[in-house]
Amino acid sequence: MKSVDNLLSTPVAVIGAGLAGSEAALVLASRGVPVTLYEMRPHTTTPAHRTDLPAELICSNSLKAKNLPVAHALLKEELRLLGSPLLDAAEQTAVPAGGALAVDRERFAHAVLQKLEQHSVTIVRQEIEAPSPGTPTIIAAGPLVSESLTGWLRERFSAAMLSFYDAIAPVVAADSIDMTKAFLAARREPDSSDYCNCPFTQEEYGRFYSALIEADTARKREFEEQRFFEACLPVEVIASRGEKSLAFGPLRPVGLIDPRTGKRPWAVCQLRKENSEGTSFGLVGFQTRLTIPEQKRVFRMIPGLENAEFLRFGSIHRNTYINAPTLLNPTLDFKDDPMLFCAGQLCGNEGYTESITTGHLAALFMIAKLTNRELPPPPRTTACGSLLYHITHCDKKDFTPVNVNYGILPDLPREGKKKIPKKEKRMTICKRALEDLKEWIVS
């Protein structure tokens, strides 16, 4: 889109300086739209945030796969075509993570802050209890939206807010890992040092599993129903589904060979670098609601972590999202308030890259509305278009947050009875998506 300098005398308000809000603010500002970005931290904080920096990553430092034909990689390629400022910041602050795009959390947040300052985005440290009437606004307050703003949304739109529980994985000091037991490698890449791997024998796995399922869990408030998001289940919830659920899930040993034995372990706990210096490692797939004493006891049963120093313990928090199919138009504006938009996890997407995507699109739709132009959603054949379609068209009675995946993308037209190999099929879907998005951008 062309610059819209001097478009408004009143800046567009963006509520929330998370991934979606920061992306939206930068997209608007880069096109000449004045922006005021409101962030309640540090005056009002949340159970999960640790800093007052924009775009702070909470659960993990990974933005997931970066190599096609994985669906998350396709979404990144589309964001690259769109010129995403946060994807650029992520690539500038990346840390080794095999086939994933992982970042140094602090450097990434500072890079985003620097971009906001360079684009003259006004950042106001203030909790917004309700949007200002008549002010074009993007609500990107995230899943940890304040109670006051949640209350306003309930009252204004008379629609039930939905929620689910999300969990955070522990982080340990690198120098507290026993490297006589652990080894460095990525799946199917024995010469890689991207991941630290703690291998289990069958007996060690059995003892760990028994301790995990018997461990005490943090007591939830009596009035809160625990509804976990399937893509980010606490490790103990996965374990409760069967003795081998972890060995076939986050502890799967596929593609890893223990150099000390020359064999594939029974199970493996992988740890990923949390910063560029490699001084801290996060336990991959170990989101948890265990109490702190139980985390110390149970997770130190992982071979190599017997003396682990925990820099951050795992925790659980409630994520909130709206019933987007009921409330939002296909362009992320509210049906009852066309100058009010919603983006990020609050609108019902799940995941870092997905939040960046809806933030970017909300900003483009806002600009189109301010300039009295029609901007249709991206084609459904694209990952961003399918994500947007799911959020705004899903079954209203069974709406849950969604990650980008091939299940929400339309299939290829079937030609005859010949079955196309999965990888070839997905590469074709990716090619189609990128070509269609290029056409959408031009048009």
Side-chain angles (χ1 to χ4, degrees), residues 77-95:
E77 288 298 324
E78 292 182 4
L79 282 172
R80 190 170 288 109
L81 287 176
L82 290 167
S84 165
L86 260 65
L87 179 63
D88 178 65
E91 292 175 335
Q92 288 179 10
T93 58
V95 296

Side-chain angles (χ1 to χ4, degrees), residues 110-303:
H110 278 290
V112 173
L113 178 60
Q114 185 178 39
K115 285 179 178 290
L116 291 168
E117 293 171 344
Q118 289 173 344
H119 283 85
S120 301
V121 173
T122 301
I123 302 176
V124 176
R125 302 288 179 171
Q126 175 186 341
E127 180 181 351
I128 299 298
E129 298 182 354
S132 298
T135 300
T137 301
I138 297 175
I139 301 179
L144 301 176
V145 56
S146 68
E147 289 295 331
S148 57
L149 187 53
T150 299
W152 180 85
L153 286 165
R154 287 184 194 273
E155 182 179 351
R156 171 66 179 80
F157 297 103
S158 301
M161 301 294 290
L162 307 175
S163 65
F164 66 101
Y165 284 83
D166 203 358
I168 296 174
V171 174
V172 300
D175 58 9
S176 69
I177 302 171
D178 185 351
M179 294 306 298
T180 65
K181 298 181 178 180
F183 62 94
L184 301 176
R187 296 189 191 280
R188 300 184 178 87
E189 297 179 31
D191 296 329
S192 171
S193 60
D194 288 359
Y195 287 84
C196 178
N197 303 276
C198 297
F200 290 86
T201 64
Q202 185 174 357
E203 293 73 22
E204 288 169 335
Y205 176 83
R207 290 194 294 270
F208 170 77
Y209 175 81
S210 297
L212 181 59
I213 61 173
E214 294 170 1
D216 293 331
T217 58
R219 292 181 60 186
K220 65 183 179 73
R221 296 179 183 178
E222 293 180 359
F223 60 84
E224 292 178 332
E225 175 193 3
Q226 288 180 310
R227 298 171 64 248
F228 296 109
F229 181 53
E230 282 292 322
C232 193
L233 290 173
V235 65
E236 62 275 5
V237 173
I238 299 175
S240 69
R241 297 179 174 181
E243 186 174 0
K244 293 185 178 179
S245 57
L246 294 176
F248 283 90
L251 299 185
R252 64 190 182 281
V254 176
L256 294 167
I257 300 296
D258 187 339
R260 295 172 183 79
T261 65
K263 299 179 180 179
R264 187 171 78 176
W266 178 262
V268 172
C269 169
Q270 285 198 304
L271 294 92
R272 181 176 52 230
K273 290 179 182 178
E274 286 284 319
N275 55 24
S276 54
E277 296 80 15
T279 57
S280 59
F281 279 75
L283 279 66
V284 178
F286 269 70
Q287 299 87 357
T288 184
R289 58 180 179 174
L290 293 183
T291 61
I292 289 177
E294 289 293 70
Q295 289 184 53
K296 291 179 179 178
R297 182 180 69 87
V298 176
F299 295 157
R300 281 176 177 159
M301 295 179 68
I302 298 171

Side-chain angles (χ1 to χ4, degrees), residues 303-346:
L305 299 186
E306 292 87 351
N307 298 304
E309 177 190 350
F310 290 88
L311 302 177
R312 183 186 74 185
F313 288 99
S315 63
I316 187 168
H317 55 274
R318 188 181 69 187
N319 281 357
T320 301
Y321 60 99
I322 65 173
N323 193 326
T326 300
L327 297 176
L328 300 182
N329 287 315
T331 47
L332 293 175
D333 51 318
F334 281 83
K335 295 175 181 178
D336 290 347
D337 192 339
M339 293 308 291
L340 183 65
F341 291 72
C342 190
Q345 285 184 261
L346 183 61

